[in-house]
Amino acid sequence: MDTPVNTPALSRRGFLIAAAGTGVAFSFLTACETKEAASTAAAYEPTQWYAIDNAGIVTVNVIRAEMGQHVGTSLARILADELEAPWENVRVKHVDSDPKWGLMVTGGSWSVWQTYPLYSQAGAAGRAALIEAGATALGVDPATCTAVNGEIVSGDKKISYKDIVRKGGLTKTYTPEELGAIKLKAVADRKLIGKPVTSVDIVEKTTGAAVFGIDAKVEGMVYGRPIIPPTRNGSKANSVDDSAAKSVKGYLQSVILEDASNTVPGWVMVIAETYPAAKKAADLVKVDWTPGPTANVSEKDLQDHSTKLIAKADAGSVLPTGNTDTSAAFRSAASSIEATYTTATALHFQMEPVNALAFQKDGKWEIHTGNQWQSLVLPWLAKALAVPETDVVMRTYRLGGGFGRRLNGDYAVGAALAAKAIGKPVKMILTREDDTKFDSVRSPSVQKMRMAFDKAGAVVGMEQHVACGWPTEVMAPFFMPKGEKDVPFDPFAISGANHWYAVGAHKVRAISNDLANQTFRPGWLRSVGPGFTNWALESFIDEAAHKLKMDPVEFRVKLLTGEGANAGSAPNAVGGALRQANVVKLAAQKAGWGGQLPDGTGLGLATSFGQERDMPTWVACVARVNVDRGTGNVKVEKLTLVADAGTII
């Protein structure tokens, strides 16, 4: 962050502990002080992703949001391993928005998987440049040099990264083509990847020093709490009666927000000197609204609409899964099975309610908030504020939980519009109730499953039809791939249905529930598509095994042949279905599948894979469950989980 913010004040106890620790540190440093001269040499930046300063400190620029998953540590470890940097010299900087970073998004379990090539190449490039510069400084042939733990070594000669930077003259940079050609370390030579290290931010997180969006403050700011309209879309605030709110000490005003981006239609922002005052006053303000057309739509209405859409043979998009014409397979089938599965609306309930601080400074709008997809919300902010995107900067903070909610940064628009309306910095915080009302929920879904068998019981055809609200269609249509006949589909509402099982003709149809899209703003939640598509799939696989009177594990392994398209693809998903079969067999073995169990106790297995087929992850879980036949109480006694996640960082 470039703009200073005030972090929460230390408690008296915290101050005394900190002061005592500082005294010890000062005493120790004084006793051990060295006379090394300060250097003014500029830091060396082999790529934009990191810099090495004249003290040997490596600062890694991270564009992924930190929300408890230690993504900074993971990505810095990838880079530092290739760079041969001592871990104690590595720092992480979660950068603010800037076009130079490209796509800034943290979601879908993509961060490590998709950033690995970029950061490993960047680290290796720096190592190569330092070897070249170190060889020059030592007066030796670069071919005789190796990089070892922050030093370039040639025989009995060596020079540290710090001293190389201090000598200056390091200007070597790399084109994308050169980075792609860089030779990476052999797996056996890795020192940080897959090894135990201390997370770089563990002290901040455990002492309370970490600054979250809800902690951001600037001089002269006021607080805002929105009054959420009756519908997510189409509501209009006609008038505001704040007469009762004027009795609240610190209450300032209520503002009807005018939103050209249509992100927060119908919002009224209650402004006060303190957040408690804004919170209390908002409960007293009365708003006359004209609600949107979906005010009376129920969960049942949404599910019924999905069912009707599935019944329309030409609705939706058919995914390119190979042979998608299942009609012949079902016509000639000796038997078949069919089932329908539904899931309900799911909320995020992340620990930190959404919030944002917005203000204009030196002609630029600054938005201080925790966010998972800066590249998505920046255009909304620019449109709402009627300024170019280059005049909006999103400052980065820790997230108190994301789970996909903060991929949709709609809440930042409300704070920005309020700040523009009153001409002051506005810190907006939603209450837990507000956050729930305004959540970008995962849509309810309806899924129709069909499977066809020949006379020998072999699977010859399968269909999975999924209807639900599409978050990507509503918020990021440019992110949607195309299915057959060039019909686009939302991958995050269907992924998981294009599974690794060999089922003959295979039809997967994704259908957008337009009523759901109008009723709320569908959101991404954790595993996104597989969160409900794979649940239906695995439930249906069990039903199919039961119909065939086959063991559920045996049935799954039989279908995970690893042939054809299910063989997987390089570089990430090599092995494909065979790797999934392996985790299934291993989980079953470790859980004692097929062994003797007490009365009322049973085992059940489910298996899944990464959000997309090219993601290098396969998992299987066996649940040992006991049912008390007298009371009907169900107790999960043990879960046995096996995961193949490729390279473990």
Side-chain angles (χ1 to χ4, degrees), residues 316-611:
S317 176
V318 176
L319 274 63
T321 54
N323 178 13
T324 61
D325 185 0
T326 56
S327 55
F330 278 92
R331 277 198 309 270
S332 61
S335 64
S336 64
I337 185 174
E338 184 175 307
T340 297
Y341 299 89
T342 63
T343 59
T345 297
L347 288 88
H348 292 86
F349 285 122
Q350 72 285 346
M351 185 178 295
E352 178 194 11
V354 294
N355 57 81
L357 166 62
F359 57 90
Q360 193 174 28
K361 179 182 178 183
D362 300 329
K364 302 282 187 180
W365 279 95
E366 294 195 11
I367 313 297
H368 295 244
T369 187
N371 183 258
Q372 292 178 247
W373 197 348
Q374 294 90 329
S375 300
L376 180 65
V377 69
L378 274 168
W380 304 346
L381 286 162
K383 186 173 183 179
L385 294 168
V387 298
E389 283 185 44
T390 51
D391 286 350
V392 183
V393 177
M394 295 190 72
R395 303 297 186 194
T396 297
Y397 289 80
R398 298 281 197 276
L399 281 61
F403 314 129
R405 172 59 183 99
R406 286 180 162 92
L407 284 165
N408 173 13
D410 49 5
Y411 48 91
V413 174
L417 287 172
K420 182 178 181 180
I422 69 171
K424 290 182 179 180
V426 172
K427 175 64 177 290
M428 181 202 72
I429 305 174
L430 272 66
T431 64
R432 182 67 64 196
E433 295 82 1
D434 298 336
D435 200 13
T436 301
K437 290 179 183 177
F438 190 62
D439 192 13
S440 195
V441 300
R442 188 180 73 188
S443 172
S445 73
V446 175
Q447 301 180 67
K448 182 178 179 180
M449 317 284 292
R450 300 176 70 207
M451 186 175 283
F453 310 94
D454 65 14
K455 292 180 180 179
V459 180
V460 294
M462 182 176 176
E463 296 178 357
Q464 186 165 356
H465 309 266
V466 184
C468 60
W470 283 8
T472 314
E473 179 184 26
V474 172
M475 290 182 280
F478 54 86
F479 233 64
M480 294 203 300
K482 291 182 178 179
E484 292 187 351
K485 299 180 181 179
D486 285 336
V487 179
F489 64 90
D490 187 341
F492 308 108
I494 193 64
S495 289
N498 53 342
H499 51 70
W500 293 95
Y501 293 121
V503 292
H506 186 199
K507 185 174 187 176
V508 175
R509 185 164 58 118
I511 306 166
S512 174
N513 185 324
D514 55 312
L515 182 60
N517 295 343
Q518 295 163 21
T519 303
F520 51 87
R521 178 173 280 200
W524 302 278
L525 173 64
R526 294 307 299 259
S527 61
V528 202
F532 52 92
T533 60
N534 198 260
W535 167 76
L537 170 65
E538 286 300 290
S539 298
F540 189 58
I541 290 292
D542 275 346
E543 294 292 341
H546 180 72
K547 176 180 175 61
L548 296 174
K549 296 181 172 57
M550 282 188 69
D551 177 89
V553 169
E554 180 186 346
F555 183 56
R556 284 175 169 83
V557 172
K558 182 180 179 180
L559 297 181
L560 293 168
T561 63
E563 298 173 351
N566 290 329
S569 59
N572 298 305
V574 175
L578 293 181
R579 291 173 74 172
Q580 188 164 359
N582 186 55
V583 296
V584 168
K585 290 185 284 189
L586 192 55
Q589 176 191 335
K590 288 183 174 295
W593 192 276
Q596 191 69 31
L597 292 170
D599 183 54
T601 301
L603 298 178
L605 178 141
T607 179
S608 187
F609 56 97
Q611 181 175 275

Side-chain angles (χ1 to χ4, degrees), residues 121-183:
Q121 290 167 3
R127 171 165 47 88
L130 287 162
I131 285 176
E132 187 176 313
T136 300
L138 296 173
V140 298
D141 185 340
T144 68
C145 296
T146 55
V148 182
N149 200 35
E151 295 179 323
I152 302 302
V153 179
S154 175
D156 59 355
K157 296 181 177 181
K158 63 182 180 180
I159 184 171
S160 68
Y161 289 179
K162 175 182 72 174
D163 289 335
I164 293 173
V165 173
R166 288 187 171 204
K167 284 181 176 293
L170 269 172
T171 58
K172 175 68 174 175
T173 57
Y174 295 82
T175 65
E177 292 74 23
E178 289 172 326
L179 286 172
I182 287 284
K183 184 177 180 181

Side-chain angles (χ1 to χ4, degrees), residues 113 500 569-573 609-618:
W113 168 45
W500 293 95
S569 59
N572 298 305
F609 56 97
Q611 181 175 275
E612 289 90 23
R613 278 173 61 99
D614 55 349
M615 184 179 287
T617 302
W618 294 263

